[in-house]
Amino acid sequence: MLASKRILLGITGGIAAYKTTFLTRLLIKAGAEVRIVMTQSAGQFVSPLTLATLSKNEVLTDFIKEEEGSTNWNNHVELGLWADLMIIAPATANTLSKMASGTCDNLLLAVYLSAKCPVFFAPAMDLDMYRHPSTKSSIEKLQSFGNILIPAESGELASGLEGEGRMAEPETIVARIQEELSSRLPWRGKNVLITAGPTFEPIDPVRFIGNHSSGKMGFALAHEAAQRGAAVTLVTGPTSQETSHPGIQCLRVNTAQQMLDTALEHLEAADIVIGAAAVSDYRPATVADEKIKKSEDHLSLDLVKNPDIIHSLSKRRKPGQFFLGFALETEKEAEHARAKLSRKGLDAIVLNSLRDKGAGFGGDTNKISFIDKNSELTPFALKEKSEVARDILDEIDRRL
């Protein structure tokens, strides 16, 4: 959830500020980029140097910074626009009141008022302060603005009293943020089945019929679908591509028949089926048990047709499932792609041409056109395959 997210951490002046060192470390470990804005009083509880070291970014406390005779401005508007989300922890009673009233007397509050992203806040104070009607009013007002409360926990407080008011533990804060982000993902609850890579059809124990597919496009689609919250089943032929995304179940096969059999096992649960694999059209009728020795000038192989995987899957479709295929063409590209779309019973097909520079097998880029069952063709420029995956899933989204 937090990988590559840009997070602003706002720290205010309370004893719980010491926990932000652990919070920063957890966010960095989760793959986020963290920038920190502190109030002046927060620096009395936790060292800006420690936080700068952990976040690998300068910690900001003032609008103006002067160094070596020059004066620079910490632009609160740019900070607010930069962030994917903001966390204010600890959020003291003083800061909660200022946030609720719109008071803007320090850099952190200016950044908060400029933020266009979701804002999480984790209150921390003594139990009577937390129970006070003014504090409750501030919290309710902030929630009415759309800010997301991470409630204080019960336990021993700095005053020595026991009760509600402890800032949520860093692990709890990270879990709550991940839960909230997950609930906002557009494909949450969807199951996506993707085939990727080549298939290798054995001739003998050491030789095979295959192609140059790297699997990069299929893996990019799987990653993008998982980033949107989908549970992805990725059935891939032999490829060096790897994924560690927790939302992707990667199942490795070799032959077309293995790919079809594995995909069929997961077809019923799928909402979206994407056939991005470059399946070998033919396989040897028989596979030699031993390595075929070189003896003649010519070797003849008897080949039989492999199953058409995406067509085989689409023939078993349930109502509501969306099927997308791929067509790699070298001539009459759009005509051939539209014919495949109709023949295979698909909802849409992605067309690319080997005649387009930067498209096709092996590379990091692709140039596609998206054609739906109404024959509407949407062309795209040459892009990185990760961007192409976003374009493809956006087009699917528009038609779901």
Side-chain angles (χ1 to χ4, degrees), residues 302-345:
D302 183 19
L303 301 179
V304 295
K305 201 169 188 179
N306 262 329
D308 186 321
I309 294 177
I310 192 66
H311 189 200
S312 298
L313 296 174
S314 72
K315 286 192 297 185
R316 295 167 172 83
R317 71 190 299 155
K318 297 187 309 179
Q321 288 182 317
F322 188 98
F323 282 77
L324 173 75
F326 273 68
L328 177 62
E329 303 292 342
T330 59
E331 60 173 349
K332 298 181 180 178
E333 289 92 337
E335 178 184 336
H336 289 163
R338 286 188 171 101
K340 281 185 179 180
L341 187 157
S342 176
R343 185 172 67 252
K344 298 184 180 188

Side-chain angles (χ1 to χ4, degrees), residues 199-214:
T199 63
F200 286 179
E201 310 299 334
I203 298 170
D204 62 21
V206 297
R207 301 181 180 90
F208 61 86
I209 296 172
N211 57 57
H212 296 296
S213 173
S214 65

Side-chain angles (χ1 to χ4, degrees), residues 58-70:
E58 179 186 5
V59 173
L60 307 179
T61 55
D62 294 307
F63 288 100
I64 304 297
K65 59 178 180 180
E66 297 183 5
E67 49 186 17
E68 297 181 359
S70 65

Side-chain angles (χ1 to χ4, degrees), residues 3 15 33 38 46 56 66 114-115 129 135 140-141 147 192 223 235 315 369 391:
I15 185 61
E33 181 181 355
M38 299 174 66
V46 62
K56 299 180 175 58
E66 297 183 5
S114 302
M129 297 172 69
T135 302
E140 289 170 3
K141 194 169 185 180
N147 300 157
V192 180
H223 186 268
V235 184
K315 286 192 297 185
S369 294
D391 290 336

Side-chain angles (χ1 to χ4, degrees), residues 9-12 16-25 28 34-39 42-61 89-90:
L9 175 57
I11 305 174
T12 69
Y18 82 90
K19 293 184 180 181
T20 59
T21 57
F22 303 101
L23 177 58
T24 301
R25 183 68 184 133
I28 295 293
V34 181
R35 299 184 70 179
I36 296 172
V37 181
M38 299 174 66
T39 62
Q44 297 174 355
F45 296 95
V46 62
S47 164
L49 177 60
T50 299
L51 292 166
T53 303
L54 291 171
S55 68
K56 299 180 175 58
N57 279 309
E58 179 186 5
V59 173
L60 307 179
T61 55

Side-chain angles (χ1 to χ4, degrees), residues 226-375:
Q227 286 293 92
R228 296 180 185 216
V232 180
T233 301
L234 176 63
V235 184
T236 177
T239 173
S240 62
Q241 300 302 305
E242 298 285 348
T243 179
S244 59
H245 197 294
I248 301 174
Q249 180 187 20
C250 187
L251 305 174
R252 296 187 179 273
V253 298
N254 287 303
T255 69
Q257 190 61 54
Q258 291 169 352
M259 182 173 283
L260 175 59
D261 292 342
T262 304
L264 283 171
E265 292 175 9
H266 298 272
L267 176 61
E268 186 175 353
D271 300 297
I272 298 167
V273 181
I274 301 176
V279 182
S280 298
D281 292 327
Y282 293 90
R283 69 181 185 274
T286 59
V287 179
D289 293 330
E290 304 293 339
K291 178 183 175 183
I292 299 172
K293 299 297 183 182
K294 182 170 65 175
S295 58
E296 304 294 336
D297 290 337
H298 299 279
L299 174 66
S300 295
L301 293 175
D302 183 19
L303 301 179
V304 295
K305 201 169 188 179
N306 262 329
D308 186 321
I309 294 177
I310 192 66
H311 189 200
S312 298
L313 296 174
S314 72
K315 286 192 297 185
R316 295 167 172 83
R317 71 190 299 155
K318 297 187 309 179
Q321 288 182 317
F322 188 98
F323 282 77
L324 173 75
F326 273 68
L328 177 62
E329 303 292 342
T330 59
E331 60 173 349
K332 298 181 180 178
E333 289 92 337
E335 178 184 336
H336 289 163
R338 286 188 171 101
K340 281 185 179 180
L341 187 157
S342 176
R343 185 172 67 252
K344 298 184 180 188
L346 305 177
D347 296 288
I349 197 163
V350 172
L351 165 65
N352 50 34
S353 171
L354 281 178
R355 296 197 292 180
D356 289 328
K357 186 177 180 181
F361 290 149
D364 294 324
T365 59
N366 207 353
K367 185 175 185 294
I368 68 158
S369 294
F370 190 98
I371 307 174
D372 66 17
K373 61 185 177 183
N374 298 318
S375 208

Side-chain angles (χ1 to χ4, degrees), residues 6 84 95 157 202 212 221 227 295 317 331 380 382 386:
R6 295 178 296 189
D84 294 315
T95 293
L157 303 171
H212 296 296
L221 286 162
Q227 286 293 92
S295 58
R317 71 190 299 155
E331 60 173 349
F380 292 91
L382 182 71
S386 58

